[in-house]
Amino acid sequence: MSLSLAPLLVGGSEGPFEQRLRPFWQRGVFASVDVHVVDHLGALVGESDPDVLLALALAVRAPRHGHICIDLAQMDTFAWQPESPREESALEPLPWPDKNAWIAKVAASPLVRGAGQDRVTPFVLDGTILYSDRYFTYQSRLAQALRARAMQTQPIRDSVGLRRGLEALFRSGAGEAFDRQRLGAAMALLGGLTVISGGPGTGKTHTIRAVLALAWAQWAVDHDPQRDGPGPLVALAAPTGKAAARMREALGAGLEAFVQQTGSLLPKRRNPEQLQVFMESLQPCTIHRLLGYNPERPTRFRHDAQWPLAHEMVIIDESSMVDLALMTKLVDAVSPQARLVLLGDRYQLASVEAGTVLADICGPSTVKRMGISEDRVGELATYSGIDVAEQPFLERKGERGIQDAIVLFEKNWRFDPSSGMGSFAKACLDELVEPSQVADILMKFCDSEVAEQASSASKAIPETIRKVIVEGYRPYLERLLAGPKGNESLAAFHAAVLELFGSFRILCAHRDGRWGVTGMNREVIRLLEESSEQTPLQRFDPSRVYWVGRPVMILRNDAIVQRFNGDVGIVVKDEKGKTTVVFPEVGGVSYIAPSRLPEHQTVFAMTIHKSQGSEFDHCLVVLPDRDSRILTKELVYTAVTRAKHTITMMAQRQVLVEALGRTIRRASGLEAKLWETGKGSA
C-alpha cells in the first residue's frame, strides 16, 4: 500500500488510510513528512491497518511539537497544535479510534515492540505510551544515567575544611530561615548529580561561585597550584552562546571581593590570589562546543560514553533550555566519576526541541515539599555539618533516589516579596491563585494604562508605548553617533555603547506579524526616524543594510568565526572608517566584518524564547492582540523575569489572563521513569 497525498489535497479516490487521515489532515494535525514516513514503513512490513498507521504518524509528529511520546489513551483530550498557523479553528472532536481496540492493534503491529522486549523496531509501546525508538532510547539512557548519578556519593578530601568553608560563605544569622543555598552547595560537592532550580534572583550564581571555591579548596588539600595547574578540571557551559556569556558575566561580577572573603576556607599555604587565578581561568562555553560539535556529523559529538570529558565537575546553566536528545548526549559524555550540576528554573519555558527535561527531573518536588533519603541526611551531617533532620520541607525517604539530587531555591534576594515583581513571581507559580488575580498583580506594578491600550481595532502602538521604545533605544544611538569622549579608546567606547543597548529590550511572543519580532523591529526603526526628525540624530541613516547602529543577533552557530546563536552585536565604524560589527567579550570587545556574519537578524525585538539566558534593566513585553496557543503561563513568567528593574506590558488584559491560565503541556515519560510513578505524562 502506497499513499499519495494528492487525494488529501485536491480530492479523488482514497484508500482506507487516506479516509482515516483526511479529517486530521484537513485540520492541520499532520505535515506530509509524517504521512510519508509511516506509509513507507508500513509498506516494508505489510502493515496496512489505518488505525495503526494513524498512531505511528502521531508518534512521528510528536517530537517536532516538543513531545517525547503520545498517550493513546488521552488523544481525545489533547489540544492539537496545527502544523499551519493559518488553522485557528478548534481541532476537536476528531474521529479517534476506540481506545482499547486501538492500543491492542498498535501492540500487535510488527512495527512496534513492547518496552521490555529485546528486538529492534521503529516504535515502542510502553503501556499506553507510544514512542519512536529514537526517543524511547534517549529517555531510557538518560533516566538510567541520572538515577545512577543521583545515588552516588563523591569523596570529600577534607570534611573539616568543607564545614569551615560552608560556614564562611553562607553566614546565617540567629532566627533566619534554613539556608537552601548552603544545602545546594554541600550537595554539589557530595553528590554525583545536583539539580538546583530557582528563579532569577534566588542566588544560583552565588551558590555556584561558592561551589567552585569549595571544590578548589578540596583540590588544593593535596595539589600545589604552582606545580599542578590552577585547579581542578571544571567545565562551565550553557545551551546558547548568549547564555554562556551571561554565565561568564555573572560569575565574574564582584569576583575579586568574593575571593578576598575566602581566606578562612582555604587549606594551609594556599591564598586567595591562587583561587582567583583558578576562577578567572574558567571560561563558559556552549554545550555543543564543550562536547565537540562537528558540522559534518551534527547529531554526534567528539565526546560520548566511550570518549568522555576529562573534567572532574561539569556545571550547566539554563538547563531548562536543554532538550532530551542533547541532555542525553551531555550526560553520556560526563565521566561517571565526575560531579554534574544542573542549574535553571523549572518554571521557565521548556526547550525549543522535544522534552521538558529539567521539569521532569524535578518531578513532584516543590519549594514546600522536597524529598531526601536517610543516607543523604547522614552524609550531609557527617561531611558538611548541615542538619536537615528537622526541616519540614524535606520529606524523609528510606532509599536513595533522584530526590537526593534536587534543591529548589525559594528566597528571592533581588526582589522584595512584597514588591510587584516578587508578588507576580510568587503568584504565577502558585496553582491556587486564579489567572485573573495574577494578571491584576502584573498590571498593578506595570503601567495599567499602557497595559490596557493595545487594540486589535486600531492596530496602532499607543503613544505611551512609543515613548517607552524611543527612550529605551535612543540613548545608545546618541552615544554611538556622538563618537568617543576625550581620550576614550575605540574598544572602550564600543563597549559602553553595547552596555547601553543591552539595558532595554522588546520581547515578543511571536516571530511574525504586526506584534511579532518582524513587525516590532520595523516599528522601532520608524519611531527612531520620527524621533530624529524632531531631535536630530547625527549620521542616523537606516536606509542601508548595515547602517551604523543596527543591532544584530546571530541565529546559527559558526565555530570558524566564533559567533554563536544568540550573540548580539552592533554595526559600527572601525578606526579606518570601515563598517564592522562589534560584539561584547570578556574584558573587552571583538569585531567581525558584516560579510562574515553567520545567519542573523535585526534585534530591537526578540522572541521570548530567544531571551532565555539574558537579563535587561527594562523589558517591554508585547503580546498579540488575540489569544494564541503559544501564549502560556511559562511564556509570560519567562518574559517578565527577564527584567531586572522595570517591566512594561503591551497586551489586552483578556489575552494576558488567557495566557496565564494555560500551561505548557508536553507528553513525556521521563518523570515517571526517574520517580518510578509508573506512567508517562501528557
Side-chain angles (χ1 to χ4, degrees):
M1 186 272 296
S2 180
L3 172 70
S4 169
L5 291 181
L8 293 174
L9 297 172
V10 299
S13 61
E14 296 180 340
F17 181 32
E18 292 161 314
Q19 292 175 6
R20 161 54 83 194
L21 201 66
R22 172 171 282 281
F24 296 87
W25 179 270
Q26 289 176 329
R27 300 191 190 185
V29 171
F30 292 117
S32 59
V33 64
D34 307 322
V35 182
H36 281 307
V37 167
V38 299
D39 180 51
H40 176 69
L41 292 172
L44 289 176
V45 301
E47 177 60 80
S48 59
D49 188 300
D51 289 344
V52 172
L53 295 177
L54 170 64
L56 302 186
L58 291 167
V60 171
R61 171 196 187 277
R64 199 169 58 256
H65 289 264
H67 309 292
I68 303 303
C69 53
I70 61 169
D71 188 346
L72 298 178
Q74 296 185 19
M75 290 295 94
D76 57 345
T77 66
F78 206 82
W80 289 94
Q81 179 71 30
E83 288 290 341
S84 170
R86 296 187 299 272
E87 296 281 355
E88 292 293 341
S89 60
L91 299 184
E92 298 163 342
L94 285 166
W96 298 104
D98 174 76
K99 294 177 184 177
N100 293 332
W102 195 19
I103 294 166
K105 285 181 180 181
V106 172
S109 173
L111 292 170
V112 180
R113 73 179 185 274
Q117 292 181 309
D118 187 18
R119 60 190 181 95
V120 178
T121 58
F123 299 93
V124 181
L125 186 65
D126 187 2
T128 64
I129 312 294
L130 183 64
Y131 301 81
S132 68
D133 174 72
R134 177 188 178 195
Y135 279 92
F136 180 79
T137 302
Y138 281 148
Q139 179 179 280
S140 299
R141 275 167 44 196
L142 182 59
Q144 182 178 4
L146 291 176
R147 283 178 60 83
R149 288 182 181 276
M151 296 180 188
Q152 289 178 357
T153 300
Q154 293 287 337
I156 300 297
R157 292 182 173 96
D158 179 10
S159 60
V160 174
L162 177 58
R163 290 187 183 202
R164 187 171 61 243
L166 289 167
E167 290 171 0
L169 294 170
F170 302 97
R171 299 181 184 275
S172 298
E176 291 187 12
F178 181 81
D179 193 337
R180 299 193 188 198
Q181 290 177 280
R182 184 177 181 183
L183 174 63
M187 289 175 63
L189 271 294
L190 279 169
L193 170 69
T194 304
V195 180
I196 298 175
S197 173
T202 53
K204 298 190 297 294
T205 298
H206 174 71
T207 301
I208 287 307
R209 191 150 50 184
V211 166
L212 293 171
L214 293 168
W216 186 86
Q218 290 291 310
W219 174 86
V221 169
D222 47 21
H223 290 83
D224 184 348
Q226 294 182 332
R227 181 191 66 223
D228 302 323
L233 282 175
V234 176
L236 306 178
T240 67
K242 180 63 178 177
R246 174 72 190 120
M247 187 182 192
R248 181 167 53 239
E249 175 187 332
L251 289 172
L255 178 60
E256 185 173 352
F258 169 80
V259 167
Q260 293 307 313
Q261 300 173 1
T262 63
S264 62
L265 66 89
L266 302 182
K268 293 180 179 180
R269 297 183 297 279
R270 304 290 179 256
N271 57 66
E273 288 72 26
Q274 293 172 322
L275 172 59
Q276 182 159 346
V277 170
F278 164 68
M279 300 283 276
E280 291 176 345
S281 72
L282 301 174
Q283 295 296 316
C285 64
T286 64
I287 296 174
H288 283 75
R289 188 174 181 184
L290 173 66
L291 298 183
Y293 175 76
N294 182 351
E296 295 181 357
R297 303 176 70 194
T299 62
R300 297 187 179 183
F301 296 101
R302 180 169 66 251
H303 293 288
D304 55 20
Q306 282 69 47
W307 192 258
L309 296 163
H311 300 83
E312 302 167 40
M313 177 179 282
V314 176
I315 301 174
I316 305 297
D317 199 11
E318 297 293 345
S319 297
S320 66
M321 299 169 64
V322 184
D323 61 85
L324 178 72
L326 183 57
M327 185 65 81
T328 303
K329 294 170 185 179
L330 168 68
V331 175
D332 281 348
V334 177
S335 168
Q337 289 75 45
R339 297 173 172 90
L340 174 61
V341 181
L342 303 178
L343 302 171
D345 184 351
R346 66 173 300 182
Y347 297 108
Q348 273 193 34
L349 283 168
S351 58
V352 175
E353 303 298 330
T356 51
V357 178
L358 184 63
D360 287 345
I361 295 173
C362 293
S365 303
T366 68
V367 293
K368 299 187 184 303
R369 179 63 64 184
M370 300 185 313
I372 191 167
S373 70
E374 295 288 353
D375 286 348
R376 186 50 54 91
V377 170
E379 290 164 357
L380 284 166
T382 300
Y383 294 108
S384 67
I386 297 177
D387 182 8
V388 298
E390 302 302 322
Q391 293 302 320
F393 70 91
L394 282 172
E395 181 181 351
R396 305 281 281 273
K397 297 182 180 293
E399 297 182 356
R400 291 179 182 268
I402 193 67
Q403 75 277 351
D404 289 327
I406 314 298
V407 185
L408 304 184
F409 287 177
E410 182 178 27
K411 182 176 180 179
N412 198 300
W413 300 86
R414 181 184 303 168
F415 307 121
D416 187 279
S418 61
S419 70
M421 195 77 78
S423 298
F424 165 76
K426 184 177 181 180
C428 192
L429 303 181
D430 190 337
E431 295 182 358
L432 299 179
V433 180
E434 291 294 325
S436 59
Q437 294 176 276
V438 181
D440 289 341
I441 292 171
L442 182 56
M443 305 281 266
K444 186 175 181 180
F445 79 87
C446 292
D447 185 332
S448 59
E449 179 186 2
V450 169
E452 292 284 2
Q453 281 184 349
S455 167
S456 59
S458 68
K459 291 289 185 181
I461 293 181
E463 183 59 37
T464 43
I465 294 290
R466 295 181 183 209
K467 183 179 179 182
V468 167
I469 292 172
V470 172
E471 290 179 352
Y473 283 131
R474 184 167 172 122
Y476 95 90
L477 274 175
E478 291 176 340
R479 179 79 163 90
L480 175 62
L481 299 176
K485 297 178 179 178
N487 296 325
E488 185 179 35
S489 70
L490 197 62
F493 164 57
H494 288 153
V497 171
L498 285 164
E499 184 175 358
L500 271 175
F501 176 74
S503 65
F504 176 74
R505 193 73 82 249
I506 300 173
L507 306 181
C508 303
H510 291 157
R511 284 191 297 269
D512 302 316
R514 178 69 179 82
W515 308 118
V517 170
T518 304
M520 291 305 298
N521 274 329
R522 286 197 299 262
E523 191 65 31
V524 171
I525 294 173
R526 187 183 68 79
L527 290 174
L528 288 173
E529 287 181 301
E530 288 182 0
S531 171
S532 182
E533 291 174 1
Q534 298 170 11
T535 307
L537 285 167
Q538 299 298 327
R539 296 179 294 135
F540 176 59
D541 180 16
S543 61
R544 299 169 177 257
V545 175
Y546 293 105
W547 49 275
V548 173
R550 178 191 173 192
V552 296
M553 180 172 66
I554 303 301
L555 303 178
R556 177 177 54 81
N557 294 336
D558 190 328
I560 295 176
V561 298
Q562 290 295 290
R563 293 271 61 96
F564 300 96
N565 184 14
D567 288 356
V568 172
I570 296 176
V571 177
V572 297
K573 295 289 186 181
D574 64 13
E575 297 93 335
K576 298 180 180 179
K578 292 184 178 180
T579 299
T580 186
V581 185
V582 62
F583 289 88
E585 304 288 352
V586 177
V589 297
S590 65
Y591 298 90
I592 182 174
S595 60
R596 300 190 68 203
L597 287 175
E599 182 182 357
H600 57 279
Q601 67 180 26
T602 301
V603 70
F604 287 114
M606 65 196 306
T607 64
I608 297 169
H609 274 90
K610 283 284 188 183
S611 74
Q612 290 185 96
S614 301
E615 291 181 333
F616 310 97
D617 290 337
H618 183 181
C619 289
L620 166 60
V621 179
V622 179
L623 300 186
D625 56 1
R626 68 182 71 178
D627 190 28
S628 165
R629 287 189 179 92
I630 199 173
L631 302 181
T632 64
K633 179 171 69 173
E634 292 85 356
L635 189 88
V636 176
Y637 171 80
T638 300
V640 172
T641 55
R642 297 309 90 203
K644 291 190 285 188
H645 303 299
T646 307
I647 186 75
T648 303
M649 292 288 297
M650 189 172 86
Q652 295 186 63
R653 185 180 184 281
Q654 188 55 39
V655 172
L656 179 60
V657 171
E658 293 289 342
L660 290 168
R662 182 185 296 114
T663 59
I664 292 175
R665 191 182 179 198
R666 287 186 172 182
S668 169
L670 181 61
E671 178 180 338
K673 297 299 181 185
L674 287 171
W675 292 85
E676 296 182 330
T677 56
K679 190 171 183 178
S681 61

